[in-house]
Amino acid sequence: MADAEGGLAPELAEREAQLGETAAVEVASGAWKQALDAVVPAVVVLKVTQTRAFDTESAGRSSATGFVVDASLGLILTNRHVVTPGPVVAEAIFLNREEVPVVPIYYDPVHDFGFMRFDPARLQFMQAVEIPLAPDEATVGLDIRVVGNDSGEKISILSGTLARLDRDAPHYGRKGYNDFNCHYQQAASGTKGGSSGSPVVNIRGQAVGLNAGSNNKAASAYYLHLHRVVRALRLIQSCRQPDGSWVQPCIPRGDLQATFVFKGYDEVRRLGLRKETEEAVRACKQLEAGSATVLDGRPGSTGMLVVESVVPGGPADGVLEPGDMLVRLNGRILTEFRSMEELLDDSVGGAVRVEVERGGAPLAADVRVQDLQGVTPSVLLELAGGSVNELSYQQARNNRAAVGQVYVSEPGYLLGKAGVSKHAIITAVAGTPTPNLTALVEALKCLRHGQRVPIQFFSFGDRHRRKSSILHINWAWYGSPRVWTRNNAAGTWDCKEEAAASEAAAKQRPPMHPGAASGAGADASLPAGASGGLSGGLIGAGSIPRKHSVPSIPAQEEVERKQAGVTAQADDARLLGSPSAKAAAAVGVGAAFAGGLGGEGVQAGPKWRPLLEEQLRCGLTQVDVEIPTVALTDGVRSRSFRGCGVIVYQSETLGLVVVDRNTVSVSTGDVLLSFGAYPAELPAAVRFLHPLHNFGLVSYDPRQLAEEARRLIRPLRLAPFPPLRRGDSVELVCLSKSLRILHRTSTVTNPATSVSIRRAEVPRFRAVHEEVVRLDLDLGMESGVLCDRSGGVRALWCSYSEQVSKAEVQWIAGLPAAIAEPWVTRLVVVHERQQAQQQQQQAPAEAAAAAESEGGVGSGSGAVAAAGVMLPPPLVATLDAELEPLLLSKAAQFGLPSEWVSRLVALDGERRQVLRVRSCLAGSDARRVLRDADLVLAIGGQPISSFNDVERVIVQAAAAAETAAVVAVSPPGAGAGAPGTSGVPGSAAGQQDQEAPPMKRARVAASEGVEQAGLATGMEVDVGQPVAPAVPTAVPAAVPVPAQAQLPEVSLSLTIFRDGEVQEVAVRLGQEDGLGTDRLVHWCGAQLQYPHRGVRELGHLPERHGVYISRWHHGSPAHRYGLSALHWVSEVNGHPTPDLDTFIAVVRQLADGADVRVRLLHLGSGKSKVLTLKTDHRYWPTSQLVLDKCSGEWTRQAIGSLV
């Protein structure tokens, strides 16, 4: 019995112990529940939008955590990297899902904490509670909970145990924010994104740390100590005034601009620490810890603070060096960061005595204490979409540079165009040094729109090399520079727009080069109305001084120069015997060339090649296009493009360049021409973009060029006839990016390859109804021209781009000159008619001025300042159906009657194809009438089998209707226009009369007078059936050409094969503008426009489709709330928005910060959804960009709110 009782005693004791442990766990669990019930309501979700890039942060949005530390004042504690140093818009979402706006009022210059403020009165359905701060409660082994918005969850509670209190500050990267000069707490709580700013609480509901970061490859999380947070909180609380207002917080923060790290005694001994110094430090720390006996075995301090780096130009520069061991500060031994910071914060503006050991030698010096608030940037320069501020202490430390320099947080448009990269330092602008932001702002004030000035800068990655570039001043897209200044009292940033130069001067483009024309008749060498390349001359009457030519091409770029000698052919003899060539040889071609140009019976040999290259170099130009972010319209795939352009016309006031649409994709952006004939650069304006074909026209002002440049530039002659055929030999000539000629002789392998470009994920321009020339050999991805040996341009060697498996693929092909030539002629005719009318109007004024001068009255010369050339873009008649070729053998399998197969084979024995409807343009009459997969057999009774046939019929029908319309509106005696264009200088018809074979001349004569003033159509030339294109004639003097002229309504009868039978249907032609999108509206950071042709080619438009989102901007409300691209806006706050005008009228009624409901329709699925957002008129005001189609200039207009 006793043994039994003795055996039960241990079991009972163990059971009692287990029950005790269970009770303790239950008690602890109850205590944690009580603590969390008090903590959770004080934790908020912070939705922060960084509206501008600034210092270490980029524009964007983020979700994080914060917690209330003063419920009565509405103060929220969170991380510095959540508050961010730049302009932000933020909201706090409380536990009951109430959302209130918050504003940042303070962030520490070094440590990762900051404060936001909200109005407690805005909380209507709950009472704000706060979490007390207890920094001294943090101990190793403490059980903690992290309460926050972890991984995007509303509330997440993670547990952990504090393992370390002296962990080094985490390092997040070399180019961003990093904390330093402090220790962190560490625990294995496994926090992730979204938990930044979460409170680390103990079982009593006190915050013992602030969650700041974590290790992505482990469960470790890092928490900031709260000692300096408590001090800052007390000072901020004192900023509240009795009347409820706030003053700007003043929190003294001192620093030596030196970074210290904590190293153990084992390492500092290797740095040279003396034994007596170590004994003194250890003994001091033990006494501070309360030990009565020195060196009694208690650890005391385990290491010392060692200098890691010093910021150049700071107080410690030249005094401290990396590796110095800090012993005393103002006579006090310091081995941990908190004591050092307390002493420095109390000594701001003064000096401290610093004692260190360097390699075993004791050193001492007095060092000035830097006020950190004085080196924390608070001013932001917004420059054309970019952000510039003074270099902060954070970035100066990251890059070992002096604070206060001009630092590029985001280059934006102007700086990016000049090659200034992100994180660069600007040292000078226009020859003016810019040591700080104020100097840069003053330098920019002196610059006017259109001016070009040098800019000097360097990047930290290549800091020992200073770079220079040209800054192209352009205030049109973004407006003048704006200076934002932080207002910590209000928690916002105040904006001031810095007017650049005078508005009058800003609108006048200065001459680009010395010797440029300043008036209308500046170039006597160019007769008025001279059309250059359209007149048929090879080089021009004036000689080209060869001494100004580009030096000979290096051997590695001479693609064909090493071929065997070639004897003169028919075209060669005409070239070498021309007066222009002889004149060129006489002024400096060289003895070899001069000897080869004279005398009869002399073999021309390869001498035609240099002359041809020289001629083409004078007519080619490099085209650079830069598009600002606010003007990336119509789904354009990039912001920068470069290609080769062909100068086809030049008069006193206007030059025209043909370029492919893979280079000039849209009418927005800035176009810059670099001429091959002369080292000159000139801005250009987009004048015409063909909606179907891969070419456009840009214009430049020759008056901005030096006289010598105007003389050297010679437009090239477009030679569409005879069309190229398989086996023809052509000269492929390109202009490299170094403005050197690349040349080789190639053979045409296929003169009519059908182009089929896939649709991209983001709708954009695609070349359709196009047949291109293929060669056996080319020059890689270089664009240029295909010409004959007389210099006539037979085709444009164009660049194409398409999206294949989400990757951009580019290729080169030849676009026949016959496609572009009619449109060049159209613009030339309109321009020369305008010039003639202006001369007629100026003649009486000049005569009167001359009479007054002879009579001694007045002193004016009567000269009229030349205004910008007004050139309305032509309209294009289109079928609004995309066709694709189908082999007749395949069509027969679909049931096409054999008689139609025979007719189409007889029509075009080369192609042996029929055209099938691939898709129709949404909203068009073709969409209503035609169906996909219809076979188009004939148009207007004329059988067709190629794209050229289609366009020829469209041209004829539209021309006939236009002729009737012009005759109807012409006043008596005015006539409907000249019967042809042979009398117009440089007209294509006159050129064709001289050069076309007899067969083609008969067709030209038959078609003369068909197209009249307002007509603007074009066509391709069928390779199999050579037909001259219909050419626009001169504009009647009494019939002005409006910028938005409408083509008359034209219907065509189409013979189609559908559902096994041949049918007749009528389709009304559509019309496309020659410049595409002409208006962009920016609202809440979203870019809105009318759906461009690429969108309509998808075949669907909703009922209210006039407001299409093509882009959004980082840091905007559109970014914050998900107002993304590829959507239509059908309603705003329940009001329908069928077009941009209605949309603007609705949004102008919205106040700043107003809640908005937006109904969207997705482009692809058509799915409807409603989202909400808040307006932001401070950082994202409403504006629009509007195109003047006559001048080709875009202007920016602010749209103010009516509320």
Side-chain angles (χ1 to χ4, degrees), residues 89 230 251 258 460 560 892:
V89 175
V230 171
I251 302 177
F460 291 121
E560 288 293 318

Side-chain angles (χ1 to χ4, degrees), residues 27-28 30-39 130-139 142-145 200-208:
V27 171
W32 272 118
K33 182 179 184 305
Q34 183 179 1
L36 292 176
D37 287 343
V39 166
E130 63 187 48
I131 298 177
L133 304 182
D136 294 329
E137 296 296 321
T139 58
L142 178 67
D143 197 18
I144 51 95
R145 299 291 186 272
V200 180
V201 298
N202 59 14
I203 199 170
R204 289 189 289 273
Q206 299 170 320
V208 298

Side-chain angles (χ1 to χ4, degrees), residues 525-533 535 649-652 654 715 828 831-832 985-986:
S525 65
L526 279 176
S531 59
S535 62
Y649 175 81
Q650 179 172 296
S651 67
E652 289 185 4
L654 180 70
V828 169
H831 169 64
E832 294 184 351

Side-chain angles (χ1 to χ4, degrees), residues 104-107 117 232 235-239 246-252 373 487-490:
I105 58 173
Y106 175 77
Y107 70 90
R117 187 181 76 236
L235 294 174
I236 291 175
Q237 290 169 332
S238 65
C239 295
W246 288 80
V247 297
Q248 183 160 322
C250 180
I251 302 177
Q373 308 298 345
N487 184 346
N488 282 332

Side-chain angles (χ1 to χ4, degrees), residues 687-691 823 826-827 872-878 958 962 1011 1014-1018 1041-1048 1070-1076 1189:
R687 294 298 191 171
F688 176 70
L689 297 173
H690 200 288
W823 303 98
R826 162 66 181 169
L827 291 180
L875 298 174
V876 184
T878 61
E962 185 68 16
E1011 297 192 21
L1015 178 64
T1017 56
V1041 181
Q1044 299 293 335
Q1046 296 294 317
L1047 296 176
Q1071 57 182 335
E1072 290 290 334
D1073 189 278
L1075 281 179
K1189 295 194 173 183

Side-chain angles (χ1 to χ4, degrees), residues 1083 1109 1123 1128-1133 1143 1156-1160 1169-1173:
W1083 176 72
I1109 306 176
L1123 191 64
W1128 283 285
V1129 179
S1130 62
E1131 292 181 7
V1132 174
N1133 283 347
F1143 177 85
V1156 187
R1157 302 187 316 278
V1158 182
R1159 181 176 294 277
L1160 302 176
K1169 68 176 180 179
V1170 176
L1171 60 81
T1172 60
L1173 56 83

Side-chain angles (χ1 to χ4, degrees), residues 54 91 150 201 227 318 343 431 618 665 701 733 786-787 907 918 970 1007 1066 1069 1092 1120 1199:
F54 184 78
E91 298 88 24
D150 189 74
V201 298
H227 299 90
L343 195 154
C618 293
S665 302
D701 186 355
V733 182
L786 299 181
C787 64
L907 176 67
R918 182 180 182 182
S970 298
S1007 63
L1069 293 181
H1092 56 92
R1120 161 70 175 83
I1199 302 176

Side-chain angles (χ1 to χ4, degrees), residues 938-942 953 1052-1055:
I939 300 180
Q942 303 180 38
V953 176
L1052 291 178
S1053 174
L1054 270 66
T1055 304

